[in-house]
């Protein structure tokens, strides 16, 4: 499957001297490459998160389009786009994103159970948690986790349905070197299986492990030097 | 169990304080609705029963009755006593112009002593001329009330053998009347033969005051009058008060209207208070739902990132609201039912107005309505919050929270 951004931009209302809006992301062309880890670097507020959210179907572009196999994702119904996000996309949003009324294992299984799948993915969820070093926390409620543990749980949740496109926004921000290494290993495994992995980060260690690196600067996506 | 229901239940269980607040607010709504409807309906029932009881245009009692209260008190509160109009007064009354029908009653107050099983007001009336008591009695007892038979008010305890002893003699309880919400509920109704027999027995046993020199066959405690068409009730009332010595005549219309005014005042005040509590609770619910939804934006955004459609999100929010609202509405209803049942006597006593609690059918209707309206208020509020939340783009919710 092919995921592309064609002239996609996004602006927001914000008053300043010259106008009352600003472009978070300028018109951008981009193709998510299957089987590769792509890293988008850049300073805070450069537009990385906005771009990632547009790519994964969570934020419509102001201009241009996001095409999945040639079909504009934002022309699709919400139900269909949500199903695509559930089955084909794995999203790790920024920040602490655990659902606090659920245990770690239940959090990880949410995408698999959302549309009534009969397949029991508990073993797979446990294996992912094991790979990320938090299996012993599987029955702990999300609100009892540390920041780093919560990030790893979010990652396991994003990977449970074996997505073809993985979008991770600062996935290693709260992690130590060892945990960062296990996360990147998991991403590599996914990429080797054919998934397109797109990571927003400003950590050099992560960029060093990427196949392709971009830099976002004031809403403009540029190839890294 | 579907994902939506399971998630909603987990969210309710996972946030006990938040859920308890929601449940409590809906409970307040339900309590206010039910108790308000209960009080207003009971007052309306009381007025209907009172109006039905006062089938007469004018009620006449002897002046000596004033020691026992006003005519309103006598009829409304059932404060009767041993006071009587003599043959002369009654004959004079018959000569007043404009009277179409009149029916006499004879009151006797039983003493709870060795002579009598219970202390009650005994009201003797003539079934042949009566046009007030019979229509009411007929609802519970379709036959003509016979000699030595008792028809008793709803508050008089019926012994297991249906026998009550008055002035040394046993009498059969033939029927129990519907509740009126007035002191008449603690009265016993008999025909004239029976009451005269009782009065003679009471005199013989010296068990009642005020009977000295009274011939029960020609005396009466009260006369109910229906005025001829074309005559003004107030004019006839004035004529009686002027021409018949030592009696008090009152038009029942003025009594009904004074009771009506009292009832509508209390009823309006209750309605206003209930409305105020209801609106206040509703505003608080809307505000709390809006605040809670804002606080939960991140949670909803996370669900969207893992593939929840707007419909699923909507379903979760509404399912939570349904569960909380139904629990709250049921709890409020139960509390109001218990309060209504246990405090109705106190409410009745403190209002001093006819107060008849609703029958089972009316209870069911107000239960269902209170339940439905309060649960609906909670659900609609959640629905509005859900519309607002799902209307936002997830990327923006995540951005706001970042």
């Amino acid at each position: 499957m092919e995921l592309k951004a064609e002239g996609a931009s996004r602006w927001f209302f914000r008053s300043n001297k010259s106008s009352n809006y600003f472009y978070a992301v300028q018109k951008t062309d981009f193709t998510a490459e299957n089987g590769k880890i792509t890293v988008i670097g850049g300073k805070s507020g450069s537009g990385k998160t906005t771009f990632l959210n547009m790519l994964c179907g969570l934020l419509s572009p102001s201009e241009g389009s996001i095409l999945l196999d040639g079909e504009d994702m934002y022309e699709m119904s919400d139900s269909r786009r949500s199903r695509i996000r559930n089955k084909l996309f794995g999203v790790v949003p920024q920040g602490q994103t655990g659902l606090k009324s659920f245990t770690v294992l239940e959090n990880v299984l949410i995408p698999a159970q959302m549309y009534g799948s009969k397949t029991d993915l508990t073993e797979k969820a446990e294996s992912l948690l094991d790979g990320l070093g938090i299996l012993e926390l599987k029955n702990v409620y999300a609100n009892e986790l540390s920041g780093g543990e919560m990030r790893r749980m979010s990652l396991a949740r994003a990977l449970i349905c074996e997505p073809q496109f993985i979008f991770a926004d600062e996935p290693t921000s709260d992690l130590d070197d060892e945990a960062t290494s296990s996360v990147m290993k998991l991403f590599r495994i996914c990429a080797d299986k054919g998934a397109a992995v797109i990571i927003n980060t400003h950590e050099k260690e992560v960029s060093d492990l990427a196949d392709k690196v971009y830099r976002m600067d004031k809403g403009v996506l540029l190839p890294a030097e | 169990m579907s994902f939506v229901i399971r998630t909603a239940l987990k969210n309710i269980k996972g946030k006990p304080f938040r859920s308890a607040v929601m449940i409590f607010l809906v409970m307040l709504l339900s309590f206010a609705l039910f108790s308000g409807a209960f009080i207003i309906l009971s007052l309306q029932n009381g007025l209907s029963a009172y109006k039905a009881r006062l089938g007469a245009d004018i009620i006449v009692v002897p002046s000596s009755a004033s020691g026992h209260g006003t005519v309103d008190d006598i009829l409304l509160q059932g404060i009767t006593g041993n006071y009587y109009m003599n043959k002369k007064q009654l004959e004079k009354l018959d000569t007043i112009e404009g009277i179409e029908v009149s029916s006499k009653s004879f009151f006797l107050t039983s003493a709870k002593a060795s002579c009598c099983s219970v202390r009650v007001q005994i009201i003797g009336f003539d079934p042949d001329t009566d046009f007030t008591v019979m229509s009411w009695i007929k609802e519970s007892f379709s036959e003509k009330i016979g000699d030595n038979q008792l028809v008793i008010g709803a508050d008089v305890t019926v012994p297991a053998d249906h026998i009550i002893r008055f002035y040394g003699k046993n009498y059969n309880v033939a029927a129990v009347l519907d509740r009126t919400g007035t002191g008449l509920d603690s009265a016993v109704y008999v025909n004239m033969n029976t009451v005269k027999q009782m009065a003679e027995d009471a005199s013989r046993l010296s068990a009642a005051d005020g009977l000295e020199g009274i011939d029960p066959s020609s005396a009466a405690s009260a006369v109910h009058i229906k005025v001829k068409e074309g005559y003004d009730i107030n004019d006839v009332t004035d004529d009686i008060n002027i021409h018949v010595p030592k009696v008090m005549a009152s038009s029942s219309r003025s009594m009904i209207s004074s009771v009506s005014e009292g009832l509508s005042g209390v009823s309006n005040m209750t309605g206003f208070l209930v409305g105020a509590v209801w609106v206040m609770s509703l505003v608080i619910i809307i505000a709390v739902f809006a605040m809670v939804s804002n606080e939960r934006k991140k949670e909803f955004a996370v669900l969207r990132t893992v593939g929840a459609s707007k419909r699923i999100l909507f379903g979760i929010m509404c399912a939570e609201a349904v569960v909380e609202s139904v629990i709250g509405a049921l709890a409020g209803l139960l509390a109001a039912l218990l309060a209504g049942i246990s405090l109705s006597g106190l409410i009745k006593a403190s209002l001093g107005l006819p107060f008849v609690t609703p029958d089972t059918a009316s209870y069911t209707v107000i239960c269902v309505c209170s339940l439905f309206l309060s649960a609906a208020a909670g659900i609609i509020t959640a629905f509005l919050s859900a519309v607002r939340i799902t209307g936002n783009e997830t990327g923006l919710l995540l951005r706001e929270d970042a």
Side-chain angles (χ1 to χ4, degrees):
Chain A
M1 295 193 91
E2 187 187 55
L3 181 70
K4 283 170 79 174
E6 274 189 1
S9 70
R10 177 74 198 205
W11 53 261
F12 294 104
F13 286 109
R14 185 200 279 171
S15 295
N16 59 28
K17 282 176 193 165
S18 53
S19 71
N20 55 1
Y21 65 94
F22 80 101
Y23 273 91
V25 176
Q26 305 279 356
K27 282 186 182 175
T28 304
D29 293 323
F30 173 84
T31 302
E33 291 186 49
N34 296 327
K36 287 191 175 163
I37 295 177
T38 303
V39 161
I40 302 174
K43 290 179 190 166
S44 293
S46 60
K48 301 189 298 288
T49 300
T50 302
F51 184 60
L52 204 72
N53 283 341
M54 285 200 293
L55 280 179
C56 67
L58 293 173
L59 186 68
S60 58
S62 305
E63 296 147 318
S65 44
I66 306 296
L67 304 171
L68 181 67
D69 275 349
E71 193 179 351
D72 190 336
M73 273 179 58
Y74 291 93
E75 293 289 314
M76 295 174 187
S77 69
D78 177 71
S79 306
R80 188 161 164 234
R81 196 164 61 244
S82 299
R83 281 304 279 260
I84 286 171
R85 212 161 40 238
N86 180 257
K87 294 291 168 210
L88 302 178
F89 292 0
V91 183
V92 185
Q94 211 174 21
Q96 309 307 320
T97 59
L99 294 176
K100 292 171 184 171
S101 304
F102 291 75
T103 64
V104 168
L105 185 62
E106 286 167 345
N107 257 285
V108 174
L109 288 170
I110 284 173
Q113 295 172 340
M114 190 169 273
Y115 289 95
S117 165
K118 296 264 189 309
T119 319
D120 184 6
L121 293 179
T122 308
E123 263 184 45
K124 182 156 190 242
E126 286 174 346
S127 144
L128 280 167
L129 290 173
D130 196 23
L132 290 161
I134 52 168
L135 180 60
E136 73 279 8
L137 300 173
K138 68 174 183 176
N139 293 321
V140 167
Y141 278 89
N143 57 353
E144 296 168 45
L145 299 181
S146 70
E149 288 162 347
M150 188 95 85
R151 300 293 297 153
R152 283 179 278 171
M153 184 198 72
S154 301
L155 189 66
R157 190 174 58 201
L159 301 182
I160 188 73
C161 292
E162 296 187 2
Q164 292 186 29
F165 298 92
I166 296 162
F167 307 91
D169 198 356
E170 308 283 3
T172 56
S173 62
D174 292 315
L175 305 184
D176 57 30
D177 290 348
E178 197 186 333
T180 301
S181 162
S182 15
V183 167
M184 290 312 291
K185 263 185 206 160
L186 263 181
F187 282 145
R188 176 55 65 195
I189 293 168
C190 293
D192 289 347
K193 283 183 182 170
V197 181
I198 301 157
I199 302 170
N200 274 356
T201 187
H202 51 259
E203 290 178 36
K204 194 173 174 306
E205 301 80 9
V206 175
S207 302
D208 291 346
L209 297 167
D211 300 312
K212 204 155 191 181
V213 180
Y214 288 90
R215 181 169 59 86
M216 186 70 91
D217 187 17
K218 292 178 183 169
V220 179
L221 189 68
L222 304 162
E225 291 145 13
Chain B
M1 198 188 299
S2 80
F3 174 78
V4 168
I5 304 290
R6 202 159 46 87
T7 306
L9 293 178
K10 273 196 158 293
N11 286 341
I12 290 169
K13 207 176 140 194
K15 290 281 179 187
F17 181 72
R18 184 178 74 198
S19 309
V21 169
M22 295 296 185
I23 289 170
F24 177 73
L25 287 171
V26 179
M27 184 179 149
L28 264 186
L29 275 184
S30 162
F31 186 89
L33 272 177
F34 180 86
S35 46
F38 172 80
I39 291 173
I40 292 169
L41 208 61
S42 298
L43 289 172
Q44 282 172 352
N45 282 349
L47 183 63
S48 304
Y50 182 61
K51 275 181 180 166
R53 175 70 187 86
L54 289 179
D57 294 324
I58 300 169
I59 319 276
V60 185
V61 293
S63 309
S64 54
S66 61
H68 301 266
T70 62
V71 180
D72 298 35
D73 292 335
I74 292 162
L75 285 149
L76 190 56
Q77 305 301 337
I79 302 168
T80 58
N82 297 343
Y83 46 78
Y84 307 98
M85 289 175 277
N86 58 32
K87 194 177 175 185
K88 248 185 175 174
Q89 288 169 302
L90 295 173
E91 279 172 357
K92 186 72 186 164
L93 187 61
D94 285 340
T95 63
I96 301 291
E97 227 184 293
I99 296 176
E100 187 184 359
V101 198
S102 70
S103 176
K104 300 175 179 68
S105 312
F106 191 98
F107 301 161
L108 198 59
T109 308
S110 76
K112 191 179 181 191
S114 55
C115 71
C116 311
S117 326
V118 285
R119 182 181 168 83
V120 288
Q121 312 293 331
I122 299 164
I123 299 174
F125 69 99
D126 181 357
D128 294 328
T129 59
D130 173 77
F131 54 91
T132 58
V133 181
M134 273 316 285
S135 58
W136 174 41
I137 286 180
K138 264 181 195 161
E139 289 171 20
S140 315
F141 184 60
S142 54
E143 296 158 46
K144 192 172 172 181
I145 186 165
D147 291 350
N148 299 326
Q149 276 191 327
L150 310 176
V151 174
I152 64 173
D155 287 344
V156 179
T157 312
V158 186
D161 57 0
H162 281 233
I163 303 265
I164 300 182
R165 189 173 178 80
F166 290 116
Y167 308 111
K169 277 193 183 144
N170 290 339
Y171 294 89
N172 272 322
V173 175
V176 180
L177 296 171
D178 287 341
R179 188 173 296 280
T180 64
T182 69
L184 299 170
D185 292 335
S186 54
V188 167
Y189 298 84
V190 294
N191 68 16
M192 277 299 188
N193 290 337
T194 310
V195 81
K196 280 167 189 171
Q197 178 63 54
M198 285 177 173
E200 280 165 17
D201 293 340
S203 290
R204 187 167 39 79
L205 295 170
S206 304
D209 300 326
L211 284 170
E212 298 79 21
I214 296 296
D215 174 8
S217 58
S218 57
S221 301
V223 179
H224 292 79
I225 291 169
K226 210 163 221 172
V227 171
K228 269 185 196 162
E229 227 178 292
Y231 283 82
D232 184 82
I233 294 170
N234 289 332
D235 290 344
V236 178
T237 309
D238 288 344
D239 278 355
I240 297 170
N241 282 326
I242 292 165
H243 299 293
V244 184
K246 295 182 180 172
V247 299
M248 287 194 298
S250 288
S251 82
S252 56
R253 194 178 295 164
S254 68
M255 283 187 271
I256 287 174
S257 83
S258 79
V259 172
S260 255
E261 274 168 29
L263 282 173
S264 73
V266 175
S267 201
N268 289 345
M269 181 54 82
T270 310
F272 174 78
L273 286 175
V274 168
V277 171
W278 208 80
V279 169
M280 214 167 65
S281 309
L282 196 63
V283 168
I284 295 172
I285 287 185
I286 291 171
V288 170
F289 261 106
M291 282 192 298
V292 167
S293 305
N294 275 341
E295 183 216 317
R296 296 178 67 186
K297 271 182 187 172
K298 182 69 178 265
E299 176 190 332
F300 298 138
V302 170
L303 281 167
R304 293 281 279 154
T305 61
V306 296
S309 62
K310 285 181 181 177
R311 185 183 286 190
I312 288 179
L313 213 58
F314 207 80
I316 292 170
M317 289 177 81
C318 289
E320 280 180 35
V322 167
V323 173
E324 289 169 347
S325 301
V326 169
I327 292 173
L330 280 171
L333 192 63
L334 193 67
L337 264 171
L338 289 175
I341 291 166
S342 55
L343 299 177
S344 65
L346 191 71
I347 298 168
K348 182 175 157 183
S350 59
L351 288 175
L353 289 166
F355 192 86
V356 180
T357 50
D359 56 17
T360 315
S362 307
Y363 255 124
T364 312
V365 170
I366 58 173
C367 280
V368 170
C369 288
S370 312
L371 197 69
F372 179 77
L373 285 174
S374 35
I379 293 163
I380 290 167
T381 310
F383 180 86
L384 295 175
S385 291
V387 168
R388 201 167 53 83
I389 287 288
T390 52
N392 289 330
E393 281 199 273
T394 311
L396 294 177
L397 295 180
L398 288 168
R399 192 181 147 85
E400 276 177 34
D401 198 73

